Amino acid sequence: MRVPGPDTRVVELRVHGILGTTGDALTDSVASVDVAGDGVGRIVRPADRLRRPVPGPMLSAGERTVPRVVEGYVWGGMTSGGWGKATWALLFPFALANVAHWMLPSPRRGNVLSRGLSGVLRALLRLSALLLTMLMVAQLAVVGLDLLAAQCLRPDSGCLGFVPDTVRELDVLRAAVGLLPVALVVLLMQRLSSVSWQVSAGRSEGPHHSATAPILPGSNVVSDPDTAALRALHVTGALSIVAFLALGGPSGWALDPRWLLSAALIVFSVGGVLVMDDPTGSNSHRRGQALRARLHRGPRRTLMSVSGLVLLSAVVFPGSLSGALPGSGGTIDAITALMVTACVAFAVLLVPAALLARSGWKQVPAQLRPWAGGWMAAPMLMIACLLGSGFGAGLALSIRQALGDSSLLLPAAYDDLAIFWGTAAALLIAAGVVLVPYVLVRNWRAAQTEGPVPDEVALLHAGRQQDQKSAATAWRLADLQRRNVHRTLLVIAGVLTACTALTMLLRYFGLPRTAWSNWLIALGVATLAALAIGLLRMVFLAATERKTARYLGILCDLTLFWPREAHPVVPPCYALKVIPELAARATEHLADPNTRVVLVGHSQGSLLAAVATARLMESLPEEDRERVGLVTAGSQLQWAYPRAFPGVVPHDSLRDLAGSLGGRWRSLCRGTDSIGGAVSTWNRQVFDGMLIGVGFRTDGTAGPLPAATRGPTGALVLGGDHWLPDPQRGPFSFRRWVPGVLGHTDYSGDPEWDRAVAMAAGLEAPTRAAALPLITPTTTSTPGGSKASGSEVAETQVFHTQGGDGGSLTGPLVITGRGERAASTAAAGTDVEAEADAESRAGNGAGVDERTRVWNDAEAADDSKSRAKTGTATGAGSGTGTGAEGASSGGTETSQSESTANGKPSDAAEHADDTSRTEQSVLPEITEPRGRTAPWERGLALRSSSAER
């Protein structure tokens, strides 16, 4: 890393997360102005009273300050705001089907079977997505053409009595009322799916492949050239299925050329999505390459026009509209059966595909491996399909209920869907009643076993008992939420699977319906109506109220990061615009050789910043890479994204990115944050008064890390993770004060923020002087009462430690000699671990509270010794050790030796061990940063001393 010169400056480029934000909040200023961007993706800076851009505050780095420019990239307008974006919520099932593609595990390199399964899975995903589109459009046609035009508006019906008879007697007019709105919806879907955000910077996606494992995070997040062809096939299939339903459906086979043509178009659409491979054209022998070459703009328009003309002919020359249409039930049944078959085949084939891909993550700790072993794409696809079918059925049932005519009939499949959703609602309620108390009781029992305050919390908030209590509750709640997100999805998927099986048995095996089935139908109708009405109401509120729009935008923020792949009819992906523009802005700043750029991302913005940084690492020359840093805050880059999307953000790619940055990736973490978490460390545990763990190293490897150091504001820095006290210590001078437990919010208000930016810029590093004090390991006294000399064989103590995240080191920690520490790499058996754990609890390894108590005694002894040197002390403890290796008073050391003489703990030691978990440590209050002071504070101190003299 280059040594900073007198002209060095730092550009801090911030990216916000979900829910959006304003430029003022992003830059921590009272006003901000745009300095670049196109109004959709905005680059903002703080502004003065005349709305002129100004640089940010000076960045303190050690004993010097460096000019800093604070910029922010605001992208919230891409996912929320206005009626258009509010209606995107109606496409939520399509977006979930598209997300399922990105949750697939990467095929194993060099394995033909794995690559073949990956291709089949992607084909089944595209088929399921097409059938989902056709089902939702067919359900709209059932409402418009069958329920309204053919039944409610027929001449002899009393439904909607205000409609004149002249309208009821014209079949063409009734057909137009029923079908043209459906055609308009399809055309709007085509228009929406053809819109993409314009990138102001040049695209540099390179030859990446969306179906292969990335070298760095997100390198395969690229646009799919097959999107236009897939969009044409979806539009063609949607228009053709409506015409097919109007012309009689599967049971209306005839020599009518319109029926034959609509059926042929449907078959062509299904075959097209099956053979068209969705990744970029890196394989010259791909099956769908010929089809894509033929489906250029002209043939695509011709295909959609032909399907539109077939539908128009069904409007101009409709069949009989004197009652319920015979083709409605058969069409809905056929699409539903094909979609269920595709989902089941996808779930079954995903099992061997995930097992073959397991070699890529079997060396990763269990708590970091993909959820459900890489099988999470199956429940995501199932949820998407069932939500889509449920929304259409709920809309039809709600409209029939609103019309108030009991003679209106719907296809029998709607009763099956009502049974399905009624059963699902009942089982989900039962699961919630049983599982939620079970999880809470289990978590409470674990908390009782662990103690009132976890070791990490006690160490982080040493000396502040009230903060320890409030933080401990928030830590446990946040950990509970993070550990059970994927389990909740699996429970929902399991319930939906059971309900699907029950519904299929009732329908296709002719099982008799009893009174309980009628009760389930009533519950299902209520559930579907609530689903449809609730979604429509949310869309209305999102379009009229800004606050609701922001919360609805969460769905878009999470689902629209992913480019169109399996389903093309989704809103535009914002990542394809934000990432290249972030990289381009950073490159623009790096043109100045004295500028260092630090990309800072919060929450979802951390994923954007990490992918943009990875692109910079791939494209910049070596001398420019050294001037790039990354800071993530409240990030999901460990507990969520690598586990849910192992083919996009695999664990190894994060390790490689950390190695390429060489220690310039810093992550701000709070244990109270239920959304964010650690990024570069895991298996954390408190041992011997230190926070230790495993994580990414600066050389691109992963393994045990040096013990954490305590920052000047009380934060614990372990590897690249900065664990922030929450509530904060302070308040601090010249710092914005934010009280209370903050959780996922306001990371920039923490005083550790600037230090992390300075470290990411290569201007500061954790110092040994700031290391946590350690306690000299207990040694066994000789029979004569004197301790063994250094030349004698040192006694070895083995400790089995358990981290707060449920992990452990690769082997037991072995403490040898006096003050020396070594980590054994040999695996320990269960019996040895249990024996070591019992030994440590018996007095050989004190808990964090006992360690911090001795630390406090040592500091008091240090203070008394310093007072003795100045003549103000009345007495001082002797035998006190200081420094990075820890300290303990002579009296404490003697008592420890006595308690362990002849290998047997004394009564005092046993009593101390019993009370160590209940008595909280009391340390000196930290109200100002230790180790250094800011320049302005030193200046004020000098002026004050001058004034006193």
Side-chain angles (χ1 to χ4, degrees):
M1 187 67 192
R2 296 181 180 179
V3 177
D7 297 328
T8 298
R9 69 163 188 163
V10 174
V11 174
E12 182 182 333
L13 185 53
R14 301 180 179 180
V15 190
H16 64 82
I18 59 175
L19 281 179
T21 189
T22 62
D24 303 349
L26 183 58
T27 57
D28 274 332
S29 58
V30 295
S32 62
V33 292
D34 291 16
V35 295
D38 55 7
V40 179
R42 302 164 48 211
I43 303 291
V44 298
R45 283 189 187 178
D48 59 12
R49 293 184 177 181
L50 298 180
R51 299 189 61 78
R52 296 173 300 188
V54 296
M58 298 290 287
L59 181 64
S60 178
E63 295 299 328
R64 60 169 295 183
T65 57
V66 177
R68 171 171 52 175
V69 175
V70 176
E71 290 187 346
Y73 189 100
V74 182
W75 54 271
M78 302 183 196
T79 57
S80 63
W83 274 99
K85 295 184 180 66
T87 56
W88 288 358
L90 301 177
L91 302 178
F92 185 58
F94 296 167
L96 288 182
N98 186 65
V99 170
H101 166 88
W102 298 99
M103 302 181 79
L104 287 173
S106 298
R108 185 175 176 181
R109 295 182 180 179
N111 190 302
V112 178
L113 179 60
S114 180
R115 294 183 63 85
L117 283 174
S118 178
V120 172
L121 289 172
R122 294 196 304 270
L124 289 174
L125 261 175
R126 293 191 301 274
L127 175 61
S128 302
L130 174 64
L131 293 173
L132 179 59
T133 301
M134 295 169 63
L135 178 61
M136 292 189 68
V137 173
Q139 288 176 329
L140 293 178
V142 168
V143 173
L145 183 63
D146 191 352
L147 193 65
L148 290 177
Q151 298 185 58
C152 183
L153 296 180
R154 70 178 187 270
D156 57 345
S157 174
C159 178
L160 298 180
F162 61 87
V163 179
D165 293 339
T166 55
V167 175
R168 297 175 181 269
E169 293 174 356
L170 295 176
D171 290 346
V172 176
L173 185 57
R174 286 193 290 145
V177 171
L179 291 179
L180 289 183
V182 180
L184 179 61
V185 170
V186 175
L187 293 178
L188 289 176
M189 290 166 50
Q190 190 274 338
R191 176 60 181 170
L192 173 64
S193 60
S194 62
V195 173
S196 297
W197 299 117
Q198 196 70 25
V199 181
S200 58
R203 294 179 179 268
S204 58
E205 293 177 347
H208 297 290
H209 197 288
S210 65
T212 56
I215 300 175
L216 290 177
S219 59
N220 55 357
V221 178
V222 295
S223 59
D224 182 12
D226 290 341
T227 300
L230 285 174
R231 178 171 58 246
L233 293 174
H234 274 249
V235 172
T236 300
L239 293 175
S240 301
I241 199 66
V242 175
F244 186 75
L245 184 150
L247 296 173
S251 61
W253 184 89
L255 296 179
D256 189 342
R258 299 177 300 169
W259 189 94
L260 295 175
L261 185 56
S262 62
L265 290 172
I266 292 173
V267 172
F268 180 81
S269 300
V270 171
V273 298
L274 283 174
V275 302
M276 183 170 292
D277 198 8
D278 56 351
T280 58
S282 61
N283 185 2
S284 59
H285 302 289
R286 42 182 302 209
R287 297 167 300 171
Q289 189 171 8
L291 180 60
R292 190 216 294 178
R294 288 174 173 81
L295 284 180
H296 50 82
R297 178 172 295 184
R300 291 198 302 267
R301 290 183 175 180
T302 301
L303 195 64
M304 291 185 291
S305 299
V306 171
S307 60
L309 289 175
V310 174
L311 179 59
L312 181 61
S313 68
V315 174
V316 177
F317 303 102
S320 175
L321 297 179
S322 58
L325 296 181
S328 297
T331 303
I332 298 297
D333 289 344
I335 299 174
T336 303
L338 288 174
M339 188 171 67
V340 171
T341 303
C343 290
V344 171
F346 178 82
V348 172
L349 292 177
L350 186 56
V351 174
L355 292 176
L356 289 173
R358 187 176 181 273
S359 60
W361 61 67
K362 64 181 181 180
Q363 302 298 333
V364 177
Q367 68 270 22
L368 303 182
R369 294 177 183 176
W371 287 334
W375 192 75
M376 284 299 295
M380 184 61 66
L381 176 62
M382 181 179 297
I383 292 173
C385 293
L386 293 176
L387 281 178
S389 61
F391 174 73
L395 181 64
L397 293 170
S398 300
I399 291 178
R400 184 179 67 174
Q401 188 71 20
L403 292 175
D405 191 345
S406 59
S407 64
L408 299 179
L409 301 177
L410 287 172
Y414 283 73
D415 289 338
D416 297 333
L417 283 174
I419 292 177
F420 169 86
W421 282 101
T423 307
L427 289 180
L428 288 175
I429 293 174
V433 171
V434 174
L435 294 180
V436 171
Y438 169 76
V439 172
L440 293 178
V441 170
R442 184 178 179 182
N443 188 65
W444 177 79
R445 293 182 63 182
Q448 295 300 313
T449 303
E450 185 182 24
V453 179
D455 287 348
E456 291 180 68
V457 177
L459 184 63
L460 189 60
H461 295 275
R464 303 172 72 112
Q465 296 184 14
Q466 187 61 37
D467 288 351
Q468 288 179 356
K469 295 178 182 179
S470 58
T473 302
W475 271 63
R476 291 194 175 100
L477 181 60
D479 180 68
L480 180 68
Q481 295 178 14
R482 287 193 298 266
R483 285 188 288 108
N484 291 283
V485 168
H486 70 289
R487 295 171 183 170
T488 303
L489 293 177
L490 290 175
V491 168
I492 293 175
V495 169
L496 296 181
T497 302
C499 296
T500 302
L502 176 62
T503 305
M504 299 290 285
L505 289 174
L506 291 175
R507 177 66 187 276
Y508 294 103
F509 291 93
L511 296 180
R513 296 184 180 180
T514 58
W516 61 266
S517 62
N518 296 328
W519 177 81
L520 288 178
I521 290 176
L523 180 60
V525 170
T527 303
L528 289 172
L531 176 66
I533 296 174
L535 184 59
L536 293 175
R537 182 175 182 275
M538 184 179 295
V539 170
F540 173 78
L541 293 177
T544 56
E545 297 181 7
R546 180 177 178 84
K547 183 178 180 180
T548 307
R550 292 185 62 195
Y551 285 104
L552 185 61
I554 295 177
L555 301 178
C556 297
D557 294 344
L558 298 177
T559 59
L560 300 187
F561 173 88
W562 310 103
R564 300 172 176 127
E565 280 284 354
H567 205 305
V569 188
V570 294
C573 166
Y574 62 85
L576 295 180
K577 175 180 174 64
V578 176
I579 291 172
E581 291 186 353
L582 279 174
R585 185 64 176 177
T587 304
E588 181 181 345
H589 285 300
L590 290 172
D592 180 4
N594 295 315
T595 298
R596 304 186 182 192
V597 177
V598 177
L599 282 79
V600 184
H602 172 249
S603 190
Q604 182 78 358
S606 66
L607 179 60
L608 294 167
V611 176
T613 304
R615 301 282 174 90
L616 290 172
M617 292 294 103
E618 290 181 330
S619 60
L620 291 176
E622 182 64 30
E623 58 273 13
D624 290 341
R625 296 178 195 171
E626 296 180 351
R627 295 186 286 125
V628 176
L630 174 63
V631 174
T632 53
S635 176
Q636 305 87 23
L637 283 174
Q638 182 184 102
W639 75 270
Y641 284 115
R643 307 187 68 189
F645 305 95
V648 181
V649 195
H651 180 79
D652 290 346
S653 68
L654 297 174
R655 179 201 61 201
D656 295 341
L657 178 60
S660 65
L661 289 170
R664 300 189 306 280
W665 183 0
R666 319 307 302 178
S667 180
L668 300 176
C669 320
R670 291 191 183 119
T672 58
D673 188 350
S674 60
I675 299 177
V679 172
S680 63
T681 62
W682 56 92
N683 290 357
R684 296 171 305 279
Q685 49 208 264
V686 175
F687 172 77
D688 201 21
M690 304 175 297
L691 179 64
I692 58 177
V694 182
F696 299 142
R697 296 167 172 167
T698 57
D699 59 355
T701 62
L705 299 170
T709 59
R710 187 179 295 276
T713 60
L716 295 177
V717 181
L718 178 65
D721 288 346
H722 297 236
W723 288 94
L724 310 180
D726 186 27
Q728 296 180 17
R729 291 184 180 272
F732 299 106
S733 302
F734 300 96
R735 292 292 308 187
R736 180 165 57 92
W737 169 243
V738 186
V741 176
L742 302 178
H744 192 62
T745 63
D746 217 335
Y747 274 87
S748 61
D750 195 283
E752 188 71 11
W753 177 281
D754 287 355
R755 184 166 178 255
V757 172
M759 294 170 67
L763 303 176
E764 186 177 343
T767 59
R768 295 295 300 174
L772 288 173
L774 311 178
I775 304 303
T776 303
T778 305
T779 57
T780 304
S781 301
T782 61
S786 60
K787 291 184 286 187
S789 63
S791 60
E792 297 177 355
V793 179
E795 179 185 1
T796 301
Q797 299 177 7
V798 183
F799 294 87
H800 170 66
T801 51
Q802 186 77 10
D805 57 357
S808 61
L809 291 176
T810 55
L813 286 176
V814 181
I815 308 304
T816 60
R818 293 162 46 178
E820 299 179 1
R821 291 167 175 81
S824 172
T825 57
T830 305
D831 297 336
V832 176
E833 291 177 350
E835 181 181 355
D837 185 71
E839 180 183 358
S840 65
R841 292 183 179 275
N844 288 341
V848 64
D849 298 319
E850 180 67 17
R851 304 290 182 185
T852 49
R853 186 187 62 78
V854 177
W855 177 13
N856 182 49
D857 296 340
E859 286 190 345
D862 289 340
D863 294 340
S864 60
K865 180 182 290 187
S866 62
R867 287 193 299 268
K869 292 182 179 180
T870 58
T872 60
T874 60
S878 61
T880 303
T882 60
E885 290 300 315
S888 62
S889 64
T892 304
E893 185 175 1
T894 302
S895 62
Q896 290 177 345
S897 299
E898 293 175 353
S899 66
T900 58
N902 300 323
K904 298 181 180 180
S906 64
D907 296 339
E910 293 179 355
H911 178 72
D913 182 71
D914 293 336
T915 59
S916 62
R917 299 300 303 168
T918 58
E919 296 179 0
Q920 302 302 317
S921 58
V922 180
L923 289 183
E925 183 73 6
I926 301 177
T927 57
E928 296 294 337
R930 287 184 175 180
R932 61 180 173 86
T933 56
W936 57 82
E937 296 177 0
R938 294 196 299 270
L940 288 175
L942 291 174
R943 285 194 293 271
S944 299
S945 61
S946 299
E948 292 176 358
R949 288 195 298 266

